[in-house]
Amino acid sequence: MTVTVPRGFRASGVAAGLKAEGALDVALVVNDGPADVAAAVFTANRCKANPVLWSEQALADGRARAVVLNSGGANCYTGPQGFQATHSAAEQVAAALGLGAIDVAVCSTGLIGEQLRTDALTAGITEAVAALSPDGGGDAAEAIMTTDMHSKQAVEHGDGWSVGGIAKGAGMLAPALATMLVVLTTDADVDAATADGALRAATRTTFDRLDSDGCMSTNDTVLLLCNGASEVAPAADEFGAAVQAVCRDLARQLLADAEGAEHDISIEVRGAAAEDDAVEVGRAIARSNLFKCAVFGKDPNWGRILAAAGTTAAEFDPMRLDVSFNGVRVCRDGQPGEPSSDVDLTPRDVHVVVDLKAGEHTATIWTNDLTHAYVHENSVYST
Amino acid sequence: MTVTVPRGFRASGVAAGLKAEGALDVALVVNDGPADVAAAVFTANRCKANPVLWSEQALADGRARAVVLNSGGANCYTGPQGFQATHSAAEQVAAALGLGAIDVAVCSTGLIGEQLRTDALTAGITEAVAALSPDGGGDAAEAIMTTDMHSKQAVEHGDGWSVGGIAKGAGMLAPALATMLVVLTTDADVDAATADGALRAATRTTFDRLDSDGCMSTNDTVLLLCNGASEVAPAADEFGAAVQAVCRDLARQLLADAEGAEHDISIEVRGAAAEDDAVEVGRAIARSNLFKCAVFGKDPNWGRILAAAGTTAAEFDPMRLDVSFNGVRVCRDGQPGEPSSDVDLTPRDVHVVVDLKAGEHTATIWTNDLTHAYVHENSVYST
């Protein structure tokens, strides 16, 4: 169920003291080859954390042998001292494994604007190298958790090969990407272009459509490490489908574990003139605090949905819109439809359908409700 | 302190039963002339309420004699039946006052997607006409309240003339405009172009820069009625300054009364290459739920400010940004500055300064914190 399911990968997760409570906080994932193909997608935020600045360079050649990850600090807005901490971590891993530093990606997560405790990180990396194991994926998944309640892991099996993944993320969840770190591994034999194409296609319709709280992170990183150890070279579409399935599974796990959430909401926008229109309308709704509060209150308040849709440039006629909550069409042709009292928003899963009646395109955005627990958790996070 | 301070205006506010609790819910403001110059600004939301659709037409000629307003229902997404309710209200007011219906603007506020109770509205309008008084501005201000805790009124005096205003708005507060109804009156002698120019200039830097909860309303309307009764024709810049002052005063009252808020936050973006850049960065920060939760928790979490700034296209170098909270520069050149523990976020007023170091332009966006009370109020609003 994790990154060490595909052959030829080892991983570990150790407690280095970066997190106060003594939980696992340094993870290492190593690709033992034979190949070292890698692809990556990073945050679209212009304010990028130091590990993102480093890993963008490390992955530029489409190759990587290892990734070291820490929770307990994002190492973002920490200046040259922070960049040096990232660089040193990569060099330490490289020296211990007989690699070049440029073969080692680095990911960090936690509070922005505080220097990492490099003594603890250095000791943790030494321990993580010693703990590397073909069964270490679970520990690695646990070591990257921040406010996550559960660790996130997924696997998809091909014919003689597989794709495994771990993820973290519970807050600052919005595209692109969704405040998270994700490491995917595969023993399929794929080239860099195939890996890159599969990863970009998968993130575009999974992590990029997760918008839990509208806040884009500075540290988001999704890595795919490919070693060809299975000696099976799947067709590009078959490989892409497996990567997509793992990303979708992990994205749903991120949604289900979002900070304070009591509802997982899928907003399906149909009848759009273009897919981008559907995404734009879905995102606008997912970012309406009023809509999100209403779902928390089990109130199918479709007026707030249409008010949000009206802020977009998508093609539609406001007087023709339909809105359904869990199958009940509460708004038909821009007017009250079936009674809102017919809608039951007790279940955790909420499915909203908005029909723009302007074309044939569809997209689904996932979000959560806005709850007292979200406010509480994020009012005390750094204090 | 209200719309009946300028000469030649009467107003009223009555209880018509549109609001369950028997509070005032129908307001009327009448311009008794001699002139009937008027200007208006409406919501930028494409999903416009029926009263907005009507009033846009009514104001197209730059003239209006009266405005009738109701709380207890937004009359939005209510189809042809809802438009008919708006039209009938204008006709009833016109008949009672000897005007044409096209001289009467209509404003509504309340829940979206429910038909107005037209029997109650009709009876209320009859009563409101009978109650018209040169001292009625206070009642009118009270009758347009929804979730507002306080009625909002303001006056600015010129030399022999004045500008008065009333406003409502506490939630769905975001540009452009800011979920609100505003009626301004003046006995200054101004032409339609002057009135329009003054109103647009004033709203651009007041109501349009108020972003309490990121949610744009379907009903926003700001009206300015000018009757020349003072027989004083002020210079355009003098008149504009007075309109600006009243709008600014009312905007601050809206901010102070925002749903559930415990802090009024001004986000001043300095050093921008263009004013639009400053506004874009300010808005992105004002819409960060994580930032808003942090202020609620009295936590000067500047990482969340820079993460929000990084989502914009504004010109700046992430490594040069400064951030201050209430005068303490917690981030300097994109790195930790003075200790966050030096910041006191106990007072209601919070002043954030972000220096982009990219030019000479500045803008200030006003917002509120995100609190348990906001979530509570908006999870039970329509139920």
Side-chain angles (χ1 to χ4, degrees), chain B residues 2 88 214 255 287 324-325:
Chain B
T2 185
S88 296
L255 185 74
R287 294 191 174 182
S324 300
F325 271 88

Side-chain angles (χ1 to χ4, degrees), chain A residues 200-326:
Chain A
R200 285 184 193 284
T203 56
R204 194 178 73 83
T205 56
T206 58
F207 302 121
D208 266 355
R209 295 205 177 158
L210 184 67
D211 196 334
S212 172
D213 65 1
C215 294
M216 187 199 294
S217 161
T218 52
N219 286 56
D220 301 323
T221 301
V222 184
L223 295 172
L224 170 60
L225 307 178
C226 319
N227 66 12
S230 69
E231 298 182 355
V232 179
D237 59 346
E238 189 186 355
F239 180 69
V243 173
Q244 169 93 23
V246 171
C247 289
R248 188 178 172 86
D249 188 341
L250 291 172
R252 292 308 296 255
Q253 293 182 51
L254 292 166
L255 185 75
D257 199 18
E259 287 169 352
E262 296 195 0
H263 288 89
D264 299 340
I265 308 168
S266 58
I267 303 165
E268 180 183 345
V269 181
R270 296 182 185 162
E275 186 180 0
D276 284 352
D277 277 10
V279 170
E280 185 187 1
V281 170
R283 272 204 211 306
I285 297 165
R287 293 191 175 182
S288 165
N289 282 349
L290 291 173
F291 162 69
K292 291 152 71 87
C293 286
V295 172
F296 170 55
K298 303 184 177 61
D299 171 15
N301 191 317
W302 56 270
R304 294 175 177 176
I305 289 180
L306 296 190
T311 65
T312 71
E315 185 179 331
F316 64 83
D317 176 353
M319 297 307 165
R320 291 197 62 213
L321 297 178
D322 287 1
V323 179
S324 300
F325 271 89
N326 288 350

Side-chain angles (χ1 to χ4, degrees), chain A residues 44-48 50 53 76-81 111-115 171-173 213-218 259 287-294 296-304 306-319 321 331 333-336 370-383, chain B residues 44-48 50 53 76-81 111-115 171-173 213-218 259 287-294 296-304 306-319 321 331 333-336 370-383:
Chain A
N45 201 305
R46 291 169 57 197
C47 297
K48 296 180 201 298
N50 283 308
L53 296 173
C76 181
Y77 278 111
T78 45
Q81 182 183 339
L111 194 63
I112 299 172
E114 286 189 358
Q115 298 292 350
M172 219 180 236
L173 276 175
D213 65 1
C215 294
M216 187 199 294
S217 161
T218 52
E259 287 169 352
R287 293 191 175 182
S288 165
N289 282 349
L290 291 173
F291 162 69
K292 291 152 71 87
C293 286
F296 170 55
K298 303 184 177 61
D299 171 15
N301 191 317
W302 56 270
R304 294 175 177 176
L306 296 190
T311 65
T312 71
E315 185 179 331
F316 64 83
D317 176 353
M319 297 307 165
L321 297 178
C331 172
D333 289 328
Q335 299 179 56
L370 179 54
T371 68
H372 292 298
Y374 177 90
V375 172
H376 177 72
E377 195 161 336
N378 286 298
S379 64
V380 298
Y381 179 59
S382 75
T383 50
Chain B
N45 201 304
R46 291 168 57 198
C47 298
K48 296 179 201 297
N50 283 307
L53 296 173
C76 180
Y77 279 111
T78 44
Q81 182 183 340
L111 193 62
I112 299 171
E114 286 189 358
Q115 298 292 350
M172 222 183 234
L173 277 174
D213 65 1
C215 294
M216 187 200 293
S217 161
T218 52
E259 287 169 352
R287 294 191 174 182
S288 164
N289 282 349
L290 291 173
F291 163 69
K292 290 152 72 88
C293 285
F296 170 57
K298 303 182 176 64
D299 170 16
N301 191 318
W302 56 270
R304 293 175 177 176
L306 296 190
T311 65
T312 71
E315 186 179 329
F316 65 82
D317 175 353
M319 296 308 165
L321 297 178
C331 173
D333 290 326
Q335 299 178 57
L370 179 55
T371 69
H372 291 298
Y374 177 89
V375 172
H376 177 72
E377 194 161 337
N378 286 298
S379 62
V380 298
Y381 180 57
S382 75
T383 49

Side-chain angles (χ1 to χ4, degrees), chain A:
Chain A
M1 280 298 291
T2 186
V3 285
T4 43
V5 169
R7 276 157 286 193
F9 289 95
R10 288 177 297 153
S12 61
V14 302
L18 297 171
K19 287 200 287 205
E21 61 272 34
L24 304 187
D25 51 17
V26 172
L28 190 56
V29 179
V30 177
N31 175 4
D32 286 321
D36 61 354
V37 168
V41 178
F42 299 99
T43 182
N45 201 305
R46 291 169 57 197
C47 297
K48 296 180 201 298
N50 283 308
V52 171
L53 296 173
W54 168 262
S55 297
E56 283 181 336
Q57 297 305 315
L59 271 290
D61 62 355
R63 305 190 170 280
R65 278 285 180 186
V67 51
V68 58
L69 313 95
N70 74 275
S71 52
N75 196 5
C76 181
Y77 278 111
T78 45
Q81 182 183 339
F83 190 81
Q84 182 55 39
T86 291
H87 190 198
S88 296
E91 287 189 320
Q92 185 185 353
V93 170
L97 298 175
L99 309 170
I102 204 69
D103 298 321
V104 181
V106 181
C107 301
S108 298
T109 183
L111 194 63
I112 299 172
E114 286 189 358
Q115 298 292 350
L116 280 180
R117 289 183 35 231
T118 47
D119 52 341
L121 181 61
T122 302
I125 290 173
T126 300
E127 200 181 334
V129 170
L132 280 170
S133 150
D135 301 317
D139 286 348
E142 191 179 330
I144 58 177
M145 291 165 63
T146 52
T147 57
D148 309 66
M149 300 285 286
H150 308 285
S151 72
K152 286 130 190 121
Q153 304 174 62
V155 166
E156 186 76 12
H157 289 282
D159 187 8
W161 55 277
S162 61
V163 179
I166 61 174
K168 68 78 46 178
M172 219 180 236
L173 276 175
L177 303 164
T179 304
M180 57 194 198
L181 305 180
V182 177
V183 179
L184 305 174
T185 57
T186 183
D187 52 5
D189 180 9
V190 294
D191 61 20
T194 303
D196 185 70
L199 188 64
R200 285 184 193 284
T203 56
R204 194 178 73 83
T205 56
T206 58
F207 302 121
D208 266 355
R209 295 205 177 158
L210 184 67
D211 196 334
S212 172
D213 65 1
C215 294
M216 187 199 294
S217 161
T218 52
N219 286 56
D220 301 323
T221 301
V222 184
L223 295 172
L224 170 60
L225 307 178
C226 319
N227 66 12
S230 69
E231 298 182 355
V232 179
D237 59 346
E238 189 186 355
F239 180 69
V243 173
Q244 169 93 23
V246 171
C247 289
R248 188 178 172 86
D249 188 341
L250 291 172
R252 292 308 296 255
Q253 293 182 51
L254 292 166
L255 185 75
D257 199 18
E259 287 169 352
E262 296 195 0
H263 288 89
D264 299 340
I265 308 168
S266 58
I267 303 165
E268 180 183 345
V269 181
R270 296 182 185 162
E275 186 180 0
D276 284 352
D277 277 10
V279 170
E280 185 187 1
V281 170
R283 272 204 211 306
I285 297 165
R287 293 191 175 182
S288 165
N289 282 349
L290 291 173
F291 162 69
K292 291 152 71 87
C293 286
V295 172
F296 170 55
K298 303 184 177 61
D299 171 15
N301 191 317
W302 56 270
R304 294 175 177 176
I305 289 180
L306 296 190
T311 65
T312 71
E315 185 179 331
F316 64 83
D317 176 353
M319 297 307 165
R320 291 197 62 213
L321 297 178
D322 287 1
V323 179
S324 300
F325 271 89
N326 288 350
V328 180
R329 189 145 29 160
V330 288
C331 172
R332 188 187 298 264
D333 289 328
Q335 299 179 56
E338 295 168 50
S340 292
S341 56
D342 288 359
V343 178
D344 178 12
L345 294 184
T346 308
R348 185 175 175 101
D349 281 328
V350 174
H351 185 52
V352 173
V353 178
V354 178
D355 191 342
L356 302 181
K357 300 181 185 171
E360 299 298 320
H361 295 272
T362 296
T364 296
I365 301 287
W366 298 321
T367 191
N368 298 102
D369 52 349
L370 179 54
T371 68
H372 292 298
Y374 177 90
V375 172
H376 177 72
E377 195 161 336
N378 286 298
S379 64
V380 298
Y381 179 59
S382 75
T383 50

